[in-house]
Each structure stands twice: as C-alpha cells, then as structure tokens.
Amino acid sequence: MNPNAAPVRKQNKRREKEVVILQAAEKIFAEEGFGGATMQLIADAAQLPKANVHYYFSTKEELYRQVVSNIFDVWLQAAGSFEESDGPAEGIGAYIDAKMEISRTRPAGSKVWASEVMHGAPIIQDYLETTLVEWTNSRIQAIEAWIAAGLMDPISPRHLLYMIWATTQHYADFGHQIQTLNHNSPLSEDEWNRAKDSVKTIILKGIGVAT
Amino acid sequence: MNPNAAPVRKQNKRREKEVVILQAAEKIFAEEGFGGATMQLIADAAQLPKANVHYYFSTKEELYRQVVSNIFDVWLQAAGSFEESDGPAEGIGAYIDAKMEISRTRPAGSKVWASEVMHGAPIIQDYLETTLVEWTNSRIQAIEAWIAAGLMDPISPRHLLYMIWATTQHYADFGHQIQTLNHNSPLSEDEWNRAKDSVKTIILKGIGVAT
DNA sequence: ATGCACCCTGACCATTCGGTCAAGAATTTT
DNA sequence: AAAATTCTTGACCGAATGGTCAGGGTGCAT
C-alpha cells in the first residue's frame, strides 16, 4: 500500500541533487551563454559525471528551461511589496531595493534571464505573454491610481517600469563593466548602498515623489 | 612601380564584401550569441559560401572581435555632444537622445555589446580598462563641474551615467520583451518619441535640471 | 533475506562545428 | 599576351558535443 508516496529520504536526496545541478547550470549558462555552455562544464561545476546530470535532466534544453523558470519566479516575487504599500515613496522605493538586492545576490540568474530575453525568449515566450503582461498591467494600474491621487507626476507608468528594470538589472548584467570602472574591484557594501541610494533618489525625484 | 598601392577597384570590392559579412555577423551574433552562432549561419546570412567568409576573416573570433570593435566606436561617439554643450539640460538631454537613437537603429549591435560584457568582456577587456575608463572619468568631471556651478543636484555622476546607459540600452537589449508588452508589435515612431521623452523627463527632473 | 525500484557511470555513437586545402576563375600588372 | 596576384568554393578533417546505454550499485518494503 501507499504506492504513491516515495520514500522521504530518497525524495529529499533527489531534490538536493537537482538543486546542486541547477545552481551549477545557472552559473555556467550565465558565464557561457546557452550555446557556449556544455553539459560537461555544468557537470564539472556540479562535481558529477556528465551521465549523472543527464539522469536528472534529460536534455540541455530541459535543464536550461528550469533555470530560467526559477529566475522568473524570483523576478516576479520582487514586487510583493508593491501593491500593499500606501504610496509611491514606499512602494516604488521598496521595489527598487528588492530588485537591487536580487542583482547583488543572484547576478548569474539575472544574466541568464537577460540572455534569454535578448535572444527572443525562445523558451519562456508564453510566460512573457501571459504572466508578465498581467503583472505589468496590474502595476501600471497601481501607478495610475497614485498619479490620479496626486501623489506623483503624470509620467508614463510603463516607461517608469522599464527604467527601474533596466537600471537595477544593469548592476548585475553589466557587473563586469561596473567592476572594471571601480578600480577592478567588486562593489563594497558601502558602494552598493551608495548605488541603491542614487537610483532611488534620482527616480523618486524624477517622478515628483518627495522623500 | 607603385608596388604598395593595391588597385582601387579591388580594394573597394574587398571592403564592400567585408561590410556585408560584418553586418551578417552582427545580426547572427546578436540572435544566437557567440557560442550559438555558427560560421555556416553567418555565411548563409551574407549569402556566401562558408569558405569565402573564412577567406576574409580567418577565424570566428577574429570576425567577432571586429563586430564588437565597431559597436564600441559607435558607443563612444554617441557622446560627442556631451562636453561641448553649455549645461546639463542640453548635454545630458542630447546624450540620451543619441543613445536612444542607437538603440533604435543598431539593436543588434547593442545586443552583441551587452553579451560581450555580460560574459566578462573576454575580447575587449583592454578597451574597457583604457578607453572606457578615460571616457567615463572625463564625463564625470564635466558633470562635477555642472554640480559645482549649481546647475544640477549633487548626485553621484557615476551612477547617473550607469542609469543612462542601462535605460537607453534596455530599449535595444530587451526590445523583445518591450515588444511583447506592446501588444506584440514593435514601437511606432510616436511610441519611440514617447519613450525618449519619458526617459529624458524623469532623469533630468531627477537630477534637478529644469527643462 | 530477498525482491524491486531507483541511482550511478564509463564507454560509446552520430552529428556538428571551426577550420583547411587544392584547384580553378577572375583581375591586375608587366 | 602572359605572368602574377587575388578571389572563390566544394570537399574534406580532427575535435568536441549532446545524448545513449548496459551493467552494476544502493537502499527500501515486505
């Protein structure tokens, strides 16, 4: 009996190994691109034989699909604080903070996402057309409400969102360039805070929100 | 005699063919990434046999290097209007316009550049460390002078530049995502102007420049 | 203890890729 | 005109890649 429930220990072990492979794959896909990444490189990064990786993820595309899907979830959840906030100062400020934090902690994921979209989103086009469109329209409505309430300037909510996405993700996707321009050293804790403050200050003032 | 001067007709023909290959390569590298692009795809796009492409560019890396180098030049020249302007309203406004125009007319080039930097700039790292560092420091000085003259807020010039780069290039690099969010159709002339205006309005107001 | 389902991996395969080459065509120089 | 240089291209090659598979190992239920 109980034919459906697999042993708990085994299930955990399987999941743990999948996570190890997914993390290695995210790193390699970010560094090499989809075409440049090889299953051997991913297997080496995960410290497993290549055939073992293929046991958990049958094809390179299947593995890539799951990496991209994971990042998309993180991306969407970054705006949890958006709607439930009182006004633009708190809502947009927190959203910028959240997205900057993702750039700092998950730069590889951000690069994989950027690469996927840059190449025409061959894998996650359906998500863009459904989830992302809904998500965006919902945020645009929130911003329009703030504008109608006189809490901020009547700017284009859509282009404001693009600016926030672009600027925050730039710190991950172009992290190498930023590091080169920072005496070849990664941003320190203070420098990250300076970046966050700069982005928030300019954008919030730019849309007429007092801080 | 005249052993050094090659025939003009032949030289022109060679240059023309190189340009055809470079344009095809820029498109394919943008669509497929360096690893995903194949010499056969590039040759097909240029409507030439693969061996003929190898006659003009001995290796894939050499071809890629020239594509990236071309884009870097465009990138730098976009700021010609920066220093010779009277103040931030004109200088930064014109710079944003120029960069938005590049995103509109050379999206493939922008993507190749983004891809190169995202993967650690393996080919043009030396340019980043020399030309780009000098270029950036020079612009930072100009902005600091404007701040000292009280023409704009005392924001971080460095992060302002990052924001301009990120936002303007976003319209090329993430053009597919923007198109998906625009009812699956490319931005019209009016929509491009709306985008330009939005970016300039928010950034210029954000740094305390009256327009 | 024994059967069973899941896990592991070295060896292997077909395909594709970047790059070469030789032989001929076209164009310029003498 | 004929020699010399440059251009063109089909055929080919070694290396690398994604994916397969057989055979053995491991841990759980009965």
Side-chain angles (χ1 to χ4, degrees), chain B residues 148-193:
Chain B
L151 296 172
M152 55 182 283
D153 288 352
I155 47 84
S156 160
R158 188 173 293 278
H159 293 294
L160 170 60
L161 285 176
Y162 295 166
M163 180 179 290
I164 294 172
W165 296 346
T167 304
T168 55
Q169 289 166 211
H170 185 80
Y171 284 86
D173 302 342
F174 287 73
H176 177 81
Q177 179 173 290
I178 289 176
Q179 177 168 334
T180 298
L181 292 171
N182 191 49
H183 315 295
N184 267 311
S185 56
L187 295 191
S188 67
E189 189 82 15
D190 283 351
E191 284 162 343
W192 267 103
N193 288 331

mmCIF file of all heavy atoms in Angstrom, chain B residues 148-193:
data_model
loop_
_atom_site.group_PDB
_atom_site.id
_atom_site.type_symbol
_atom_site.label_atom_id
_atom_site.label_comp_id
_atom_site.label_asym_id
_atom_site.label_seq_id
_atom_site.Cartn_x
_atom_site.Cartn_y
_atom_site.Cartn_z
ATOM 1 N N ALA B 148 29.138 71.749 -9.387
ATOM 2 C CA ALA B 148 29.826 72.830 -8.679
ATOM 3 C C ALA B 148 29.259 74.193 -9.080
ATOM 4 O O ALA B 148 29.211 75.118 -8.268
ATOM 5 C CB ALA B 148 31.328 72.776 -8.975
ATOM 6 N N ALA B 149 28.810 74.291 -10.319
ATOM 7 C CA ALA B 149 28.238 75.554 -10.802
ATOM 8 C C ALA B 149 26.781 75.703 -10.391
ATOM 9 O O ALA B 149 26.124 76.685 -10.771
ATOM 10 C CB ALA B 149 28.368 75.631 -12.323
ATOM 11 N N GLY B 150 26.269 74.739 -9.672
ATOM 12 C CA GLY B 150 24.891 74.825 -9.196
ATOM 13 C C GLY B 150 23.852 74.584 -10.278
ATOM 14 O O GLY B 150 22.691 74.967 -10.120
ATOM 15 N N LEU B 151 24.265 73.957 -11.378
ATOM 16 C CA LEU B 151 23.321 73.739 -12.477
ATOM 17 C C LEU B 151 22.502 72.466 -12.291
ATOM 18 O O LEU B 151 21.551 72.222 -13.036
ATOM 19 C CB LEU B 151 24.088 73.667 -13.805
ATOM 20 C CG LEU B 151 24.808 74.950 -14.206
ATOM 21 C CD1 LEU B 151 25.691 74.723 -15.428
ATOM 22 C CD2 LEU B 151 23.803 76.066 -14.481
ATOM 23 N N MET B 152 22.885 71.629 -11.337
ATOM 24 C CA MET B 152 22.127 70.392 -11.086
ATOM 25 C C MET B 152 22.401 69.917 -9.657
ATOM 26 O O MET B 152 23.299 70.423 -8.989
ATOM 27 C CB MET B 152 22.509 69.312 -12.108
ATOM 28 C CG MET B 152 24.004 69.015 -12.188
ATOM 29 S SD MET B 152 24.431 67.782 -13.450
ATOM 30 C CE MET B 152 23.942 66.274 -12.624
ATOM 31 N N ASP B 153 21.609 68.919 -9.239
ATOM 32 C CA ASP B 153 21.746 68.410 -7.873
ATOM 33 C C ASP B 153 23.085 67.694 -7.694
ATOM 34 O O ASP B 153 23.655 67.179 -8.664
ATOM 35 C CB ASP B 153 20.621 67.405 -7.576
ATOM 36 C CG ASP B 153 19.273 68.091 -7.425
ATOM 37 O OD1 ASP B 153 19.249 69.341 -7.403
ATOM 38 O OD2 ASP B 153 18.263 67.379 -7.346
ATOM 39 N N PRO B 154 23.576 67.604 -6.471
ATOM 40 C CA PRO B 154 24.844 66.906 -6.203
ATOM 41 C C PRO B 154 24.657 65.397 -6.114
ATOM 42 O O PRO B 154 24.877 64.788 -5.072
ATOM 43 C CB PRO B 154 25.287 67.497 -4.855
ATOM 44 C CG PRO B 154 24.005 67.816 -4.171
ATOM 45 C CD PRO B 154 23.041 68.256 -5.252
ATOM 46 N N ILE B 155 24.227 64.802 -7.213
ATOM 47 C CA ILE B 155 24.091 63.343 -7.241
ATOM 48 C C ILE B 155 25.421 62.710 -7.644
ATOM 49 O O ILE B 155 26.362 63.405 -8.035
ATOM 50 C CB ILE B 155 22.992 62.909 -8.218
ATOM 51 C CG1 ILE B 155 23.123 63.636 -9.564
ATOM 52 C CG2 ILE B 155 21.612 63.190 -7.647
ATOM 53 C CD1 ILE B 155 24.045 63.062 -10.530
ATOM 54 N N SER B 156 25.507 61.401 -7.590
ATOM 55 C CA SER B 156 26.724 60.700 -7.996
ATOM 56 C C SER B 156 26.790 60.631 -9.517
ATOM 57 O O SER B 156 25.971 59.962 -10.148
ATOM 58 C CB SER B 156 26.736 59.282 -7.419
ATOM 59 O OG SER B 156 27.642 58.470 -8.163
ATOM 60 N N PRO B 157 27.754 61.324 -10.141
ATOM 61 C CA PRO B 157 27.829 61.298 -11.608
ATOM 62 C C PRO B 157 27.971 59.884 -12.164
ATOM 63 O O PRO B 157 27.403 59.550 -13.204
ATOM 64 C CB PRO B 157 29.081 62.129 -11.900
ATOM 65 C CG PRO B 157 29.289 62.962 -10.694
ATOM 66 C CD PRO B 157 28.794 62.146 -9.540
ATOM 67 N N ARG B 158 28.729 59.071 -11.473
ATOM 68 C CA ARG B 158 28.964 57.704 -11.933
ATOM 69 C C ARG B 158 27.654 56.919 -12.044
ATOM 70 O O ARG B 158 27.364 56.291 -13.073
ATOM 71 C CB ARG B 158 29.905 57.009 -10.944
ATOM 72 C CG ARG B 158 30.407 55.661 -11.368
ATOM 73 C CD ARG B 158 31.454 55.156 -10.385
ATOM 74 N NE ARG B 158 32.676 55.948 -10.410
ATOM 75 C CZ ARG B 158 33.647 55.775 -11.317
ATOM 76 N NH1 ARG B 158 33.500 54.854 -12.255
ATOM 77 N NH2 ARG B 158 34.730 56.504 -11.284
ATOM 78 N N HIS B 159 26.845 56.986 -11.002
ATOM 79 C CA HIS B 159 25.603 56.220 -11.032
ATOM 80 C C HIS B 159 24.580 56.842 -11.988
ATOM 81 O O HIS B 159 23.728 56.132 -12.520
ATOM 82 C CB HIS B 159 25.038 56.080 -9.618
ATOM 83 C CG HIS B 159 25.893 55.235 -8.730
ATOM 84 N ND1 HIS B 159 26.079 53.889 -8.937
ATOM 85 C CD2 HIS B 159 26.658 55.551 -7.647
ATOM 86 C CE1 HIS B 159 26.899 53.406 -8.019
ATOM 87 N NE2 HIS B 159 27.277 54.401 -7.227
ATOM 88 N N LEU B 160 24.691 58.145 -12.205
ATOM 89 C CA LEU B 160 23.844 58.759 -13.225
ATOM 90 C C LEU B 160 24.180 58.200 -14.606
ATOM 91 O O LEU B 160 23.290 57.846 -15.386
ATOM 92 C CB LEU B 160 24.029 60.281 -13.225
ATOM 93 C CG LEU B 160 23.390 61.019 -14.402
ATOM 94 C CD1 LEU B 160 21.880 60.793 -14.445
ATOM 95 C CD2 LEU B 160 23.717 62.507 -14.362
ATOM 96 N N LEU B 161 25.489 58.087 -14.899
ATOM 97 C CA LEU B 161 25.891 57.520 -16.189
ATOM 98 C C LEU B 161 25.391 56.085 -16.317
ATOM 99 O O LEU B 161 24.862 55.698 -17.366
ATOM 100 C CB LEU B 161 27.416 57.562 -16.327
ATOM 101 C CG LEU B 161 28.024 58.942 -16.618
ATOM 102 C CD1 LEU B 161 29.550 58.856 -16.644
ATOM 103 C CD2 LEU B 161 27.513 59.473 -17.956
ATOM 104 N N TYR B 162 25.546 55.294 -15.252
ATOM 105 C CA TYR B 162 25.064 53.908 -15.310
ATOM 106 C C TYR B 162 23.567 53.879 -15.625
ATOM 107 O O TYR B 162 23.100 53.053 -16.419
ATOM 108 C CB TYR B 162 25.316 53.185 -13.984
ATOM 109 C CG TYR B 162 26.782 52.996 -13.636
ATOM 110 C CD1 TYR B 162 27.168 52.624 -12.345
ATOM 111 C CD2 TYR B 162 27.784 53.173 -14.583
ATOM 112 C CE1 TYR B 162 28.508 52.445 -12.021
ATOM 113 C CE2 TYR B 162 29.116 53.009 -14.257
ATOM 114 C CZ TYR B 162 29.475 52.646 -12.973
ATOM 115 O OH TYR B 162 30.798 52.471 -12.643
ATOM 116 N N MET B 163 22.819 54.775 -15.000
ATOM 117 C CA MET B 163 21.371 54.794 -15.223
ATOM 118 C C MET B 163 21.049 55.143 -16.676
ATOM 119 O O MET B 163 20.162 54.533 -17.280
ATOM 120 C CB MET B 163 20.708 55.805 -14.285
ATOM 121 C CG MET B 163 19.203 55.892 -14.461
ATOM 122 S SD MET B 163 18.423 57.059 -13.322
ATOM 123 C CE MET B 163 18.620 56.203 -11.777
ATOM 124 N N ILE B 164 21.772 56.085 -17.243
ATOM 125 C CA ILE B 164 21.539 56.458 -18.643
ATOM 126 C C ILE B 164 21.892 55.296 -19.566
ATOM 127 O O ILE B 164 21.130 54.932 -20.466
ATOM 128 C CB ILE B 164 22.365 57.712 -19.014
ATOM 129 C CG1 ILE B 164 21.865 58.919 -18.225
ATOM 130 C CG2 ILE B 164 22.295 57.983 -20.508
ATOM 131 C CD1 ILE B 164 22.736 60.164 -18.389
ATOM 132 N N TRP B 165 23.047 54.681 -19.332
ATOM 133 C CA TRP B 165 23.435 53.536 -20.156
ATOM 134 C C TRP B 165 22.377 52.446 -20.063
ATOM 135 O O TRP B 165 21.909 51.905 -21.069
ATOM 136 C CB TRP B 165 24.771 52.958 -19.681
ATOM 137 C CG TRP B 165 25.933 53.892 -19.831
ATOM 138 C CD1 TRP B 165 25.961 55.043 -20.568
ATOM 139 C CD2 TRP B 165 27.229 53.768 -19.228
ATOM 140 N NE1 TRP B 165 27.191 55.638 -20.460
ATOM 141 C CE2 TRP B 165 27.991 54.876 -19.649
ATOM 142 C CE3 TRP B 165 27.818 52.836 -18.386
ATOM 143 C CZ2 TRP B 165 29.315 55.065 -19.247
ATOM 144 C CZ3 TRP B 165 29.127 53.019 -17.997
ATOM 145 C CH2 TRP B 165 29.872 54.124 -18.418
ATOM 146 N N ALA B 166 22.024 52.096 -18.822
ATOM 147 C CA ALA B 166 21.087 50.989 -18.603
ATOM 148 C C ALA B 166 19.760 51.254 -19.294
ATOM 149 O O ALA B 166 19.239 50.405 -20.031
ATOM 150 C CB ALA B 166 20.874 50.787 -17.103
ATOM 151 N N THR B 167 19.222 52.435 -19.062
ATOM 152 C CA THR B 167 17.868 52.706 -19.550
ATOM 153 C C THR B 167 17.827 52.782 -21.071
ATOM 154 O O THR B 167 16.942 52.189 -21.706
ATOM 155 C CB THR B 167 17.350 54.020 -18.947
ATOM 156 O OG1 THR B 167 17.433 53.926 -17.515
ATOM 157 C CG2 THR B 167 15.908 54.255 -19.341
ATOM 158 N N THR B 168 18.769 53.485 -21.661
ATOM 159 C CA THR B 168 18.728 53.633 -23.116
ATOM 160 C C THR B 168 18.991 52.282 -23.801
ATOM 161 O O THR B 168 18.285 51.917 -24.749
ATOM 162 C CB THR B 168 19.763 54.660 -23.589
ATOM 163 O OG1 THR B 168 21.062 54.301 -23.114
ATOM 164 C CG2 THR B 168 19.426 56.045 -23.073
ATOM 165 N N GLN B 169 19.972 51.534 -23.314
ATOM 166 C CA GLN B 169 20.287 50.263 -23.960
ATOM 167 C C GLN B 169 19.195 49.214 -23.734
ATOM 168 O O GLN B 169 19.054 48.289 -24.512
ATOM 169 C CB GLN B 169 21.645 49.745 -23.454
ATOM 170 C CG GLN B 169 22.801 50.566 -23.981
ATOM 171 C CD GLN B 169 24.117 50.319 -23.270
ATOM 172 O OE1 GLN B 169 24.931 51.225 -23.159
ATOM 173 N NE2 GLN B 169 24.326 49.102 -22.788
ATOM 174 N N HIS B 170 18.441 49.405 -22.666
ATOM 175 C CA HIS B 170 17.340 48.472 -22.385
ATOM 176 C C HIS B 170 16.371 48.385 -23.560
ATOM 177 O O HIS B 170 15.834 47.312 -23.847
ATOM 178 C CB HIS B 170 16.606 48.944 -21.134
ATOM 179 C CG HIS B 170 15.526 48.023 -20.654
ATOM 180 N ND1 HIS B 170 15.767 46.897 -19.911
ATOM 181 C CD2 HIS B 170 14.173 48.067 -20.815
ATOM 182 C CE1 HIS B 170 14.628 46.283 -19.631
ATOM 183 N NE2 HIS B 170 13.639 46.970 -20.167
ATOM 184 N N TYR B 171 16.171 49.505 -24.244
ATOM 185 C CA TYR B 171 15.209 49.505 -25.351
ATOM 186 C C TYR B 171 15.710 48.681 -26.539
ATOM 187 O O TYR B 171 14.920 48.271 -27.384
ATOM 188 C CB TYR B 171 14.879 50.944 -25.775
ATOM 189 C CG TYR B 171 13.943 51.612 -24.797
ATOM 190 C CD1 TYR B 171 14.438 52.254 -23.666
ATOM 191 C CD2 TYR B 171 12.566 51.565 -24.970
ATOM 192 C CE1 TYR B 171 13.583 52.847 -22.741
ATOM 193 C CE2 TYR B 171 11.697 52.153 -24.057
ATOM 194 C CZ TYR B 171 12.221 52.784 -22.941
ATOM 195 O OH TYR B 171 11.369 53.345 -22.018
ATOM 196 N N ALA B 172 17.011 48.452 -26.601
ATOM 197 C CA ALA B 172 17.527 47.546 -27.632
ATOM 198 C C ALA B 172 17.641 46.121 -27.081
ATOM 199 O O ALA B 172 17.069 45.181 -27.633
ATOM 200 C CB ALA B 172 18.888 48.020 -28.121
ATOM 201 N N ASP B 173 18.362 45.987 -25.959
ATOM 202 C CA ASP B 173 18.670 44.653 -25.447
ATOM 203 C C ASP B 173 17.413 43.889 -25.049
ATOM 204 O O ASP B 173 17.324 42.679 -25.241
ATOM 205 C CB ASP B 173 19.619 44.759 -24.246
ATOM 206 C CG ASP B 173 20.905 45.488 -24.609
ATOM 207 O OD1 ASP B 173 21.211 45.605 -25.811
ATOM 208 O OD2 ASP B 173 21.609 45.961 -23.692
ATOM 209 N N PHE B 174 16.463 44.569 -24.459
ATOM 210 C CA PHE B 174 15.206 43.933 -24.053
ATOM 211 C C PHE B 174 14.068 44.303 -24.999
ATOM 212 O O PHE B 174 12.897 44.292 -24.610
ATOM 213 C CB PHE B 174 14.865 44.315 -22.607
ATOM 214 C CG PHE B 174 15.738 43.644 -21.587
ATOM 215 C CD1 PHE B 174 17.064 44.034 -21.430
ATOM 216 C CD2 PHE B 174 15.269 42.601 -20.803
ATOM 217 C CE1 PHE B 174 17.889 43.418 -20.502
ATOM 218 C CE2 PHE B 174 16.095 41.977 -19.869
ATOM 219 C CZ PHE B 174 17.403 42.390 -19.724
ATOM 220 N N GLY B 175 14.425 44.655 -26.224
ATOM 221 C CA GLY B 175 13.409 45.041 -27.199
ATOM 222 C C GLY B 175 12.339 43.986 -27.398
ATOM 223 O O GLY B 175 11.171 44.317 -27.602
ATOM 224 N N HIS B 176 12.733 42.740 -27.316
ATOM 225 C CA HIS B 176 11.741 41.671 -27.500
ATOM 226 C C HIS B 176 10.700 41.692 -26.379
ATOM 227 O O HIS B 176 9.505 41.530 -26.621
ATOM 228 C CB HIS B 176 12.426 40.311 -27.537
ATOM 229 C CG HIS B 176 11.472 39.175 -27.649
ATOM 230 N ND1 HIS B 176 10.913 38.779 -28.853
ATOM 231 C CD2 HIS B 176 10.914 38.365 -26.713
ATOM 232 C CE1 HIS B 176 10.080 37.779 -28.641
ATOM 233 N NE2 HIS B 176 10.064 37.503 -27.357
ATOM 234 N N GLN B 177 11.162 41.905 -25.167
ATOM 235 C CA GLN B 177 10.237 41.971 -24.025
ATOM 236 C C GLN B 177 9.332 43.184 -24.155
ATOM 237 O O GLN B 177 8.117 43.100 -23.915
ATOM 238 C CB GLN B 177 11.047 42.039 -22.729
ATOM 239 C CG GLN B 177 10.227 42.136 -21.471
ATOM 240 C CD GLN B 177 11.105 42.036 -20.226
ATOM 241 O OE1 GLN B 177 11.643 40.993 -19.907
ATOM 242 N NE2 GLN B 177 11.262 43.136 -19.518
ATOM 243 N N ILE B 178 9.907 44.311 -24.549
ATOM 244 C CA ILE B 178 9.112 45.536 -24.713
ATOM 245 C C ILE B 178 8.067 45.342 -25.809
ATOM 246 O O ILE B 178 6.913 45.759 -25.670
ATOM 247 C CB ILE B 178 10.049 46.725 -25.017
ATOM 248 C CG1 ILE B 178 10.843 47.083 -23.761
ATOM 249 C CG2 ILE B 178 9.266 47.915 -25.533
ATOM 250 C CD1 ILE B 178 11.873 48.170 -23.967
ATOM 251 N N GLN B 179 8.471 44.677 -26.875
ATOM 252 C CA GLN B 179 7.508 44.426 -27.962
ATOM 253 C C GLN B 179 6.379 43.511 -27.489
ATOM 254 O O GLN B 179 5.210 43.731 -27.821
ATOM 255 C CB GLN B 179 8.253 43.794 -29.145
ATOM 256 C CG GLN B 179 7.332 43.438 -30.299
ATOM 257 C CD GLN B 179 8.105 43.102 -31.565
ATOM 258 O OE1 GLN B 179 9.228 43.559 -31.754
ATOM 259 N NE2 GLN B 179 7.504 42.303 -32.431
ATOM 260 N N THR B 180 6.733 42.495 -26.711
ATOM 261 C CA THR B 180 5.696 41.602 -26.180
ATOM 262 C C THR B 180 4.712 42.371 -25.309
ATOM 263 O O THR B 180 3.499 42.122 -25.354
ATOM 264 C CB THR B 180 6.343 40.472 -25.355
ATOM 265 O OG1 THR B 180 7.193 39.705 -26.202
ATOM 266 C CG2 THR B 180 5.275 39.563 -24.752
ATOM 267 N N LEU B 181 5.225 43.324 -24.546
ATOM 268 C CA LEU B 181 4.351 44.125 -23.672
ATOM 269 C C LEU B 181 3.647 45.231 -24.446
ATOM 270 O O LEU B 181 2.850 45.979 -23.881
ATOM 271 C CB LEU B 181 5.167 44.731 -22.527
ATOM 272 C CG LEU B 181 5.709 43.730 -21.499
ATOM 273 C CD1 LEU B 181 6.670 44.398 -20.537
ATOM 274 C CD2 LEU B 181 4.552 43.086 -20.741
ATOM 275 N N ASN B 182 3.950 45.368 -25.721
ATOM 276 C CA ASN B 182 3.331 46.398 -26.561
ATOM 277 C C ASN B 182 2.404 45.734 -27.585
ATOM 278 O O ASN B 182 2.448 46.030 -28.772
ATOM 279 C CB ASN B 182 4.408 47.226 -27.267
ATOM 280 C CG ASN B 182 3.839 48.458 -27.942
ATOM 281 O OD1 ASN B 182 3.075 49.216 -27.335
ATOM 282 N ND2 ASN B 182 4.187 48.659 -29.211
ATOM 283 N N HIS B 183 1.584 44.814 -27.118
ATOM 284 C CA HIS B 183 0.644 44.098 -27.986
ATOM 285 C C HIS B 183 1.380 43.376 -29.110
ATOM 286 O O HIS B 183 0.884 43.285 -30.241
ATOM 287 C CB HIS B 183 -0.404 45.043 -28.584
ATOM 288 C CG HIS B 183 -0.968 45.978 -27.578
ATOM 289 N ND1 HIS B 183 -1.728 45.551 -26.507
ATOM 290 C CD2 HIS B 183 -0.880 47.325 -27.455
ATOM 291 C CE1 HIS B 183 -2.088 46.594 -25.784
ATOM 292 N NE2 HIS B 183 -1.579 47.686 -26.328
ATOM 293 N N ASN B 184 2.578 42.872 -28.816
ATOM 294 C CA ASN B 184 3.347 42.104 -29.789
ATOM 295 C C ASN B 184 3.690 42.863 -31.063
ATOM 296 O O ASN B 184 3.935 42.239 -32.102
ATOM 297 C CB ASN B 184 2.603 40.809 -30.154
ATOM 298 C CG ASN B 184 3.060 39.648 -29.282
ATOM 299 O OD1 ASN B 184 4.259 39.423 -29.131
ATOM 300 N ND2 ASN B 184 2.123 38.947 -28.682
ATOM 301 N N SER B 185 3.744 44.177 -30.957
ATOM 302 C CA SER B 185 4.148 44.929 -32.151
ATOM 303 C C SER B 185 5.290 45.878 -31.803
ATOM 304 O O SER B 185 5.353 46.392 -30.685
ATOM 305 C CB SER B 185 2.957 45.696 -32.721
ATOM 306 O OG SER B 185 2.418 46.529 -31.735
ATOM 307 N N PRO B 186 6.190 46.101 -32.740
ATOM 308 C CA PRO B 186 7.324 46.996 -32.497
ATOM 309 C C PRO B 186 6.839 48.401 -32.168
ATOM 310 O O PRO B 186 5.733 48.793 -32.554
ATOM 311 C CB PRO B 186 8.081 46.989 -33.836
ATOM 312 C CG PRO B 186 7.569 45.803 -34.575
ATOM 313 C CD PRO B 186 6.176 45.570 -34.100
ATOM 314 N N LEU B 187 7.681 49.136 -31.466
ATOM 315 C CA LEU B 187 7.312 50.509 -31.132
ATOM 316 C C LEU B 187 7.171 51.342 -32.406
ATOM 317 O O LEU B 187 8.006 51.266 -33.307
ATOM 318 C CB LEU B 187 8.383 51.141 -30.236
ATOM 319 C CG LEU B 187 8.576 50.544 -28.838
ATOM 320 C CD1 LEU B 187 9.464 51.452 -27.998
ATOM 321 C CD2 LEU B 187 7.259 50.304 -28.131
ATOM 322 N N SER B 188 6.096 52.109 -32.475
ATOM 323 C CA SER B 188 5.907 53.013 -33.608
ATOM 324 C C SER B 188 6.774 54.262 -33.419
ATOM 325 O O SER B 188 7.410 54.444 -32.384
ATOM 326 C CB SER B 188 4.441 53.427 -33.699
ATOM 327 O OG SER B 188 4.111 54.221 -32.578
ATOM 328 N N GLU B 189 6.778 55.091 -34.433
ATOM 329 C CA GLU B 189 7.519 56.359 -34.346
ATOM 330 C C GLU B 189 7.069 57.154 -33.112
ATOM 331 O O GLU B 189 7.894 57.628 -32.328
ATOM 332 C CB GLU B 189 7.255 57.173 -35.628
ATOM 333 C CG GLU B 189 8.118 58.405 -35.785
ATOM 334 C CD GLU B 189 9.494 58.073 -36.350
ATOM 335 O OE1 GLU B 189 9.648 56.940 -36.869
ATOM 336 O OE2 GLU B 189 10.397 58.919 -36.256
ATOM 337 N N ASP B 190 5.761 57.271 -32.939
ATOM 338 C CA ASP B 190 5.232 58.012 -31.798
ATOM 339 C C ASP B 190 5.648 57.377 -30.475
ATOM 340 O O ASP B 190 5.993 58.069 -29.514
ATOM 341 C CB ASP B 190 3.697 58.078 -31.875
ATOM 342 C CG ASP B 190 3.236 59.111 -32.899
ATOM 343 O OD1 ASP B 190 4.101 59.863 -33.395
ATOM 344 O OD2 ASP B 190 2.036 59.141 -33.200
ATOM 345 N N GLU B 191 5.584 56.056 -30.443
ATOM 346 C CA GLU B 191 5.928 55.375 -29.190
ATOM 347 C C GLU B 191 7.411 55.533 -28.851
ATOM 348 O O GLU B 191 7.786 55.654 -27.680
ATOM 349 C CB GLU B 191 5.538 53.887 -29.289
ATOM 350 C CG GLU B 191 4.037 53.685 -29.154
ATOM 351 C CD GLU B 191 3.559 52.335 -29.662
ATOM 352 O OE1 GLU B 191 4.309 51.666 -30.407
ATOM 353 O OE2 GLU B 191 2.427 51.956 -29.328
ATOM 354 N N TRP B 192 8.246 55.567 -29.882
ATOM 355 C CA TRP B 192 9.664 55.830 -29.635
ATOM 356 C C TRP B 192 9.857 57.235 -29.063
ATOM 357 O O TRP B 192 10.638 57.443 -28.132
ATOM 358 C CB TRP B 192 10.486 55.676 -30.919
ATOM 359 C CG TRP B 192 11.054 54.307 -31.092
ATOM 360 C CD1 TRP B 192 10.603 53.320 -31.908
ATOM 361 C CD2 TRP B 192 12.187 53.758 -30.396
ATOM 362 N NE1 TRP B 192 11.369 52.192 -31.768
ATOM 363 C CE2 TRP B 192 12.352 52.424 -30.851
ATOM 364 C CE3 TRP B 192 13.072 54.245 -29.438
ATOM 365 C CZ2 TRP B 192 13.366 51.593 -30.382
ATOM 366 C CZ3 TRP B 192 14.079 53.407 -28.968
ATOM 367 C CH2 TRP B 192 14.219 52.107 -29.439
ATOM 368 N N ASN B 193 9.150 58.201 -29.619
ATOM 369 C CA ASN B 193 9.274 59.564 -29.109
ATOM 370 C C ASN B 193 8.772 59.653 -27.672
ATOM 371 O O ASN B 193 9.346 60.357 -26.832
ATOM 372 C CB ASN B 193 8.506 60.532 -30.011
ATOM 373 C CG ASN B 193 9.209 60.736 -31.338
ATOM 374 O OD1 ASN B 193 10.440 60.628 -31.425
ATOM 375 N ND2 ASN B 193 8.442 60.994 -32.388
#
